[in-house]
Amino acid sequence: LFPSPVDAGHRAVIFDRFRGVQDVVVGEGTHFLIPWVQKPIIFDCRSRPRNVPVITGSKDLQNVNITLRILFRPVTAQLPRIFTSIGEDYDERVLPSITTEILKSVVVSTP
C-alpha cells in the first residue's frame, strides 16, 4: 500500500485496473492505494474563472466582440461519470461550445 494525498479543494476518483472506475469519490486527506492496481485521478473542485471571447454577428449584420467570464466547478458526486464520459479535460471540451451558443443567442435576441 502506498499513500496518495488529496489536497484541499480537490477530489479523487479511483481507477482500478480490474474493476474500472469506482463510483466512490474520495475526499481530502491521505488514502492508501494498491500499487499498479489502483490509480487516483485528481480533480480540482474549487471555483475557477474562464474567459471565453466570441465574435458573432448581430441582427443588423455588424460584428460584435463579446467576452464572457465564467466561474465553474464540477459537481463532486458526478465526477466518476464526468471522467468516464468526457475525461479529465472536461472544461476544455464542454465550456467553449456551450458559451459560444449562449452568447450568440443573447446577441441575436437583443435589439
Side-chain angles (χ1 to χ4, degrees), residues 44-102:
D44 187 1
C45 291
R46 298 175 289 186
S47 292
R48 292 181 288 167
R50 181 180 175 98
N51 291 331
V52 180
V54 174
I55 299 173
T56 185
S58 63
K59 285 183 181 178
D60 57 351
L61 303 175
Q62 298 291 322
N63 283 339
V64 178
N65 295 327
I66 299 177
T67 301
L68 177 67
R69 180 182 165 103
I70 304 169
L71 289 174
F72 71 96
R73 63 184 173 89
V75 177
T76 56
Q78 297 295 322
L79 284 177
R81 184 171 171 220
I82 290 171
F83 176 69
T84 54
S85 61
I86 302 172
E88 289 182 73
D89 58 343
Y90 64 92
D91 55 340
E92 297 291 330
R93 293 183 183 202
V94 174
L95 290 178
S97 61
I98 292 174
T99 54
T100 303
E101 292 302 318
I102 290 173

Side-chain angles (χ1 to χ4, degrees), residues 11-59:
R11 299 289 183 266
V13 174
I14 306 297
F15 174 74
D16 193 320
R17 291 188 191 268
F18 300 115
R19 294 182 285 176
V21 177
Q22 297 182 3
D23 292 333
V24 178
V25 177
V26 178
E28 304 163 353
T30 302
H31 307 279
F32 293 98
L33 302 175
I34 302 169
W36 189 82
V37 175
Q38 293 177 329
K39 176 186 169 190
I41 294 97
I42 298 176
F43 287 91
D44 187 1
C45 291
R46 298 175 289 186
S47 292
R48 292 181 288 167
R50 181 180 175 98
N51 291 331
V52 180
V54 174
I55 299 173
T56 185
S58 63
K59 285 183 181 178

